Amino acid sequence: MSEMITDEYLHNLISAVEDEGAEAKAFSASYTLAKGVKVPTASQRVLYSFSLANPPRLQEESRGRLAVRGLNVECTVISRRSDGLDVATFVDLGQELESAVLTVDRSEILSVLAARLEGVRSGSHQTPFNRALAGQVVRLSDGEPGVDESFISAPDDLTSDQKEAFRRAIQNRVTYLWGPPGTGKTVTLSAIAFYLFCHNKRVLLVSHTNRAVDGIAHGLCKRIVGKSRASIPEGSVVRIGNISRKGLATSFGAQVSLESLADLQQRKIRDRISAVRKEREANAAEIATLREQYALTARKGVLEGELAELQKLLADVRSSESGLSTVLRVLRIRYGTGDGRGGSIGDIKRSIQSVTSEILTVVSQLEHVGSAEELCDQIDAAEARERELEESLRDLEVLAEDPSAASLDRARVVACTATQAVLRYASLGEFDVVIVDEASMLPLPYVVFLAGMAREKVVVGGDFRQLPPIALSRSPASKMWYARDIFEVAGVVDLVDRGGVSPYLATLTTQFRGHEKLAALINDRFYGGRLIPTRKTPDAAVSEGDSAGLFNNSVTVVDTSAL
């Protein structure tokens, strides 16, 4: 079994992040953006798409400020495209923007990441961090997995290599999924997520970019609704951040967007607050009624005592006329009867009648009312309910201030970028499984932190033959602990280069995207001939003339050295 992540390991990661943050702060700069167009989105934020010939390499979810027509508003870089940037803000700046200036502080998220890692090292975070599982992720285990080896049925729509990857991900505590271009890594990860969803596991889907997150989330949603196109169970899947893929936004945006779910949750919370307040008013009225009834029962007891006393006095007076004047004075003072001039036994009788009449009135008011003991029990129960309603009202009012927290608490699957996972760590809660896509592009500290958020299982997907993590700092700490990807650190790359195999590594080899000759461009050079193309013939040629060769051949080499 792999060792846990140590304090020393965390210290090294923190030092690397701090070095990168210091370098990033020096690189914080302003960029002039031309021609921005507002685009539809399921989020409450307003999204602007800017066209740029050479967009700056900015990390998604980077925060900054957008200067437009004298206004300076907070914004977030949602995605970097090959032809521009998508920037979101809570301020509607109009349908079109002729130009804008974007200023980004790249160090902000790194400061948060360093603080999160320090919280793990010091143990100050309230949310548990799984050091053992994080330790497994950074060291490729030897031997056979010590897990359930029972057969797991994979979805029929997966290829044989995808099914094998699916089974390993379900059985292992840690699985590395190597998915070269066009081999269906997104399809496989969404199938894994769906299996876990159906088995009531709480899952975090996270990636380097919003587009990659949307790909897995879209595949998961399509599997949940199935051919019947049923609705996704309300609040079970939550997408944090701006949805980049049109397919997900159009088909499921309102059902999974955190903003949409938070709006719905807030309406429900407000309705519940109104209902609790009405119940509280009714309960208070019931308490007042019960207390009045209890007071009447007490009054009835007093009156019955007075009646008994009067009846005794009457008997005493009849047997001893000498004390009559004294008794009548008492009656006059207490009941207003007697004329004060001596009176007669009749005054005592009238007092008895008055008391008896009042007793009858009280008795009629207490009809169908229980005993004093029963009323005490009912008052105690109503007062206890009053305390419960007050507590419930306080909790609801807190939720009303941040309805997104309630939406996240209920979610079985949360999908977001690595940046959002770090920023929202305290509010996300615990997860049974963390699935990391594009992990080869994520700096090591991010992957370690994300892995520690899982209780049971981590699936690490990516392609270490593509772009590695981007680092600005050239410090030894950054090169060692920030700029290397998880596949290299864990020993996966070395294993593959040696031709080795591991039960914890699954490789996708069926290539769907390009036909055979195009696949050969990368297959032999980068993937050791592992890729098996499914398309054997190129698309039909569509062009004639001097440029026909560009379209008639699968691969055309153009020498531009003389230009």
Side-chain angles (χ1 to χ4, degrees), residues 288-367:
T289 299
L290 289 170
R291 286 174 176 167
E292 289 176 1
Q293 292 172 346
Y294 183 79
L296 284 174
T297 60
R299 177 62 178 159
K300 177 172 174 285
V302 171
L303 291 172
E304 288 174 344
E306 292 182 356
L307 179 61
E309 183 180 347
L310 286 169
Q311 289 173 338
K312 183 177 182 300
L313 286 173
L314 179 60
D316 291 344
V317 168
R318 282 175 174 169
S319 63
S320 176
E321 292 291 336
S322 62
L324 178 59
S325 60
T326 302
V327 170
L328 291 177
R329 273 199 307 274
V330 172
L331 293 179
R332 185 180 73 251
I333 295 170
R334 184 177 297 181
Y335 302 107
T337 58
D339 55 13
R341 297 190 299 273
S344 67
I345 294 178
D347 291 326
I348 301 176
K349 292 181 178 179
R350 282 192 292 276
S351 296
I352 291 174
Q353 289 175 349
S354 175
V355 173
T356 302
S357 175
E358 190 173 351
I359 290 175
L360 292 174
T361 301
V362 171
V363 169
S364 67
Q365 291 174 329
L366 292 175
E367 188 177 6

Side-chain angles (χ1 to χ4, degrees), residues 1-5 130-141 172-174 176 451 456 486 490 504:
M1 182 176 178
S2 298
E3 297 179 359
M4 293 195 302
I5 289 289
N130 194 335
R131 289 199 182 201
L133 198 50
Q136 264 189 276
V137 168
V138 298
R139 302 178 188 89
L140 182 62
S141 299
N172 297 344
R173 279 178 59 80
V174 174
Y176 306 92
E456 302 175 7
I486 186 63
Y504 301 96

